[in-house]
Amino acid sequence: MAGYDDYTNGYHDASSSGPRINIRDHNEKTIDFVLSNTTLSLANSLRRTMLAEIPTLAIDLVEIETNTSVLADEFLAHRMGLLPLSTRGVEETLYTRDCDCDEFCDNCSAILRLHVANRTLDQNLKVFARDLVVERIDGSAVHDPRPRNDAGLVLDQNELPPRAFPIIMDPAGEGPLICKLRKGQEIRLRCIVKKGIAKEHAKWAPTAAIGFEYDPHNKLRHTTLWYEGDDAKAEWPESKNRDWEEPEQEGQRFDYNAEPDQFFINLEGTGVMHPDQVFHAGISTLQLKLGQVIQQLQGLTVEGKEIGGGAAGGDGAFTPPAEPMAVDMGGGTAYGSGTAYGGGGRTPGYGQTTAYGGTTPAYGGGGGAGGQGTAYGGQTPAYGAGSGSAYGAGMGGATPYGQRPGY
Amino acid sequence: MANDIVYEGDMPRQAKKRSGELPFGHASYHAGYSTVKDPRTGPNIGPQNLDIDTVPDRYELYLLGEGEKKVTFEQETRVPHAALFTFNKEDHTLGNLLRDKLSRSEHVLFAAYQVPHPLFAVFKLRVQTDGEIAPKDAVIQACNELVQELQSLDQEFTKEWELKKIADTANA
Ligand SMILES: [Zn+2]
């Protein structure tokens, strides 16, 4: 079987078959690696899966109670949808469509509240992602176990925040800017976070970009370079990957059977999960897809009829094979066994009740703005009838625009 | 009807808006209660569910419809050991991957896929074997091999990643 070598017991070194990885560079957001000894189709399918099909969390519904800012409700809702949120515990989170609740619940969603008003400040007050407060459906706040000091959160970029907490990566600890408020302006909204994939809306993408190159010398002629002078080579910048492969020899005959076998991949995440988790999640998503096909086909006869009137079928039950050998590198993958992600009881995201404490340090942080008081401009029920209304977060997103589950 | 329309520049417009009718040019969009059920939020209720039916729901790209199967196939009658598979709610990600894997099998004589129309999340895969193995089993085998290959890739990555981290702490 390809990729699994009995002789080496599945363990691959340079001489064995199976895909090879060479990590060239990495930081908290990006991994640059060379994938080799595999096919273009597998490398490309993995790339496509990592871009579009890994489940993550994003704001999907925004209920606007008050918005007297200069941004229209829809505009604000769209911005909210694009905020990167921690995917920690996303495996334990259900899709709302699979959940047995009526609308949404703690098992399939998280709530982020935002209430900021500029009452006294003559300058504009900036509203940041750090001002969001994470709560449960019943309104109780979710405890943030991360350490704080006088300046705010003490951020550790090696560890993801609890589930659905905004990702904050800037040194100032503010997170993305949501909007600005002039004196007298206020926003008060409730956001519903849901699990989804980027095929539905790009806000669910765990990747910002994936660089993908092979055959930097174009020896395979998969590319035709445009040129205006006499020499294409003189007009095109050379790839930084050129040093990793031998250039074409003068007078060398074209090999019609040659196939690409080395892929230079630059995987850049958005911060919602670590880049190595993106890689693992991409693999397991693709395995799950293949598993569904196996399961479905095994329920059919050779003629294509269903065996025993559709005994098989159903999806999701497939599990990737158990690791055929022990990785002696300590404690398995990021997935599953209690490392970084989800796994071992380190996800205080939901379930446990911890009081958030009387003062809400998350908001009003911007100097003199805080306070729960009354809304400036009275109760401005944003849009539509009744008490506020729901907006889809994210343009053309998954979402009800004014309660409507259309798009 | 023609009398009712006044042309202003390029834009035909209704001279008088009669209540309950859409302006000319808007008529092709069917604005009404949505008949589409959003699987995540349950059935639509009430008049606020105004929807424009020309925009397909994005979840239709990956969620199987009611009673829809992930994959079905039919044997070809004119050619021996050949079958045409239809994959629902899948795209090039799976189509090209399977095609390539199948074409590397010694028992597969022909493997190709197509996406008949880009607006429908369906692809067709045609497989012909030498008779040693049924097309269905060739596809199952291809899937199994890919799952294994991905599994070994996963381990290879973990190994390299852990080694990198050890090297980093040693350098730090
Ligand atoms: Zn639920």
Side-chain angles (χ1 to χ4, degrees):
Chain A
M1 216 176 256
Y4 183 76
D5 192 338
D6 285 322
Y7 181 69
T8 54
N9 219 4
Y11 198 95
H12 299 293
D13 53 42
S15 62
S16 84
S17 63
R20 295 271 306 140
I21 295 270
N22 179 6
I23 298 170
R24 298 196 288 189
D25 194 15
H26 70 98
N27 58 35
E28 63 279 5
K29 255 190 179 167
T30 307
I31 306 179
D32 189 274
F33 61 95
V34 185
L35 170 63
S36 53
N37 209 20
T38 187
T39 57
L40 175 59
S41 64
L42 188 124
N44 191 47
S45 289
L46 189 57
R47 179 192 66 89
R48 286 173 60 98
T49 309
M50 289 191 290
L51 278 175
E53 301 191 50
I54 294 176
T56 65
L57 298 172
I59 292 172
D60 202 28
L61 283 159
V62 180
E63 293 169 358
I64 292 171
E65 289 165 38
T66 308
N67 172 23
T68 51
S69 79
V70 293
L71 301 185
D73 294 354
E74 299 93 324
F75 196 117
L76 205 54
H78 178 236
R79 290 183 69 73
M80 301 305 293
L82 297 175
L83 293 172
L85 305 178
S86 173
T87 55
R88 194 169 189 169
V90 70
E91 301 94 338
E92 293 85 52
T93 306
L94 296 168
Y95 290 105
T96 299
R97 59 171 178 271
D98 299 330
C99 192
D100 47 21
C101 62
D102 287 335
E103 208 178 357
F104 48 83
C105 68
D106 288 329
N107 296 327
C108 64
S109 60
I111 307 292
L112 296 182
R113 240 182 221 288
L114 184 64
H115 178 204
V116 185
N118 182 354
R119 296 216 163 69
T120 53
L121 233 60
D122 284 325
Q123 309 97 297
N124 284 339
L125 174 71
K126 291 174 177 172
V127 183
F128 292 107
R130 65 146 182 228
D131 299 326
L132 284 157
V133 180
V134 186
E135 41 176 67
R136 294 180 195 86
I137 296 291
D138 62 12
S140 61
V142 175
H143 173 63
D144 186 349
R146 292 174 293 176
R148 318 183 138 262
N149 59 23
D150 294 340
L153 279 174
V154 182
L155 295 168
D156 174 11
Q157 297 301 351
N158 292 317
E159 198 155 346
L160 282 177
R163 185 181 78 136
F165 275 69
I167 298 292
I168 295 171
M169 298 185 98
D170 55 313
E174 293 165 333
L177 178 65
I178 296 167
C179 72
K180 296 180 184 179
L181 298 177
R182 192 173 189 253
K183 183 151 78 173
Q185 295 179 345
E186 178 179 9
I187 51 171
R188 183 197 275 267
L189 28 105
R190 182 170 173 254
C191 309
I192 291 112
V193 175
K194 296 210 173 163
K195 182 173 171 176
I197 63 170
K199 236 185 186 186
E200 176 153 355
H201 191 286
K203 67 187 176 185
W204 277 297
T207 46
I210 301 180
F212 188 94
E213 186 185 23
Y214 62 91
D215 189 23
H217 298 287
N218 195 26
K219 287 189 281 191
L220 301 169
R221 301 289 184 271
H222 285 194
T223 305
T224 309
L225 296 174
W226 168 270
Y227 59 100
E228 300 189 339
D230 299 323
D231 185 15
K233 281 215 164 68
E235 292 177 33
W236 283 88
E238 287 206 303
S239 157
K240 67 163 181 148
N241 299 317
R242 67 187 182 276
D243 303 332
W244 289 72
E245 284 187 13
E246 283 298 310
E248 201 165 18
Q249 299 302 310
E250 200 71 41
Q252 197 179 342
R253 284 187 65 161
F254 183 75
D255 180 1
Y256 288 91
N257 295 314
E259 280 191 65
D261 125 293
Q262 186 157 242
F263 307 92
F264 305 95
I265 298 173
N266 187 282
L267 173 60
E268 183 188 343
T270 56
V272 299
M273 51 172 87
H274 293 309
D276 61 308
Q277 293 173 341
V278 174
F279 190 84
H280 291 301
I283 286 180
S284 62
T285 305
L286 197 49
Q287 284 178 325
L288 217 66
K289 200 188 261 298
L290 291 159
Q292 267 182 27
V293 175
I294 295 170
Q295 208 177 37
Q296 176 70 50
L297 284 178
Q298 280 172 342
L300 299 176
T301 64
V302 200
E303 287 80 37
K305 305 276 182 323
E306 276 188 49
I307 296 170
D315 44 350
F318 175 82
T319 35
E323 314 213 340
M325 56 105 203
V327 188
D328 52 336
M329 298 316 305
T333 343
Y335 249 62
S337 53
T339 344
Y341 212 61
R346 268 208 269 153
T347 330
Y350 63 131
Q352 307 151 11
T353 327
T354 328
Y356 197 67
T359 43
T360 339
Y363 69 34
Q372 270 89 337
T374 36
Y376 163 86
Q379 258 56 38
T380 325
Y383 216 77
S387 52
S389 51
Y391 284 89
M395 193 158 65
T399 328
Y401 170 76
Q403 307 284 13
R404 162 180 69 90
Y407 291 77
Chain B
M1 191 58 197
N3 297 343
D4 290 329
I5 296 167
V6 173
Y7 287 91
E8 273 181 12
D10 296 320
M11 287 294 292
R13 228 162 42 95
Q14 252 184 340
K16 262 187 247 164
K17 244 198 209 164
R18 286 167 296 189
S19 64
E21 276 188 33
L22 287 165
F24 186 86
H26 288 229
S28 60
Y29 300 106
H30 169 69
Y33 300 141
S34 172
T35 51
V36 187
K37 192 179 147 189
D38 188 322
R40 293 154 313 157
T41 49
N44 296 334
I45 341 140
Q48 68 270 50
N49 298 323
L50 206 69
D51 200 3
I52 295 168
D53 289 335
T54 48
V55 185
D57 292 311
R58 300 278 294 176
Y59 61 79
E60 287 178 21
L61 290 175
Y62 62 92
L63 274 188
L64 286 171
E66 197 86 353
E68 200 175 21
K69 292 276 181 291
K70 177 59 39 185
V71 52
T72 58
F73 71 94
E74 259 178 44
Q75 276 199 307
E76 240 160 83
T77 47
R78 290 155 173 263
V79 186
H81 319 301
L84 187 64
F85 296 79
T86 305
F87 288 78
N88 292 310
K89 303 296 187 267
E90 290 295 346
D91 59 13
H92 300 278
T93 304
L94 191 63
N96 189 50
L97 186 64
L98 282 180
R99 189 224 94 234
D100 184 63
K101 192 74 191 170
L102 283 162
S103 61
R104 289 167 199 277
S105 162
E106 53 173 336
H107 297 301
V108 173
L109 304 178
F110 180 93
Y113 84 104
Q114 67 161 181
V115 178
H117 193 286
L119 286 182
F120 298 98
V122 167
F123 77 82
K124 302 216 178 250
L125 177 76
R126 189 180 178 277
V127 182
Q128 186 187 359
T129 65
D130 60 4
E132 288 286 306
I133 180 174
K136 181 201 97 167
D137 295 319
V139 175
I140 292 177
Q141 194 191 318
C143 288
N144 274 321
E145 285 176 15
L146 285 165
V147 169
Q148 289 297 336
E149 195 169 335
L150 285 163
Q151 196 60 26
S152 85
L153 175 58
D154 194 79
Q155 284 162 19
E156 166 75 4
F157 185 87
T158 306
K159 188 190 86 191
E160 289 298 317
W161 183 249
E162 298 294 336
L163 284 171
K164 196 84 189 166
K165 282 203 292 196
I166 290 166
D168 284 353
T169 36
N171 291 337

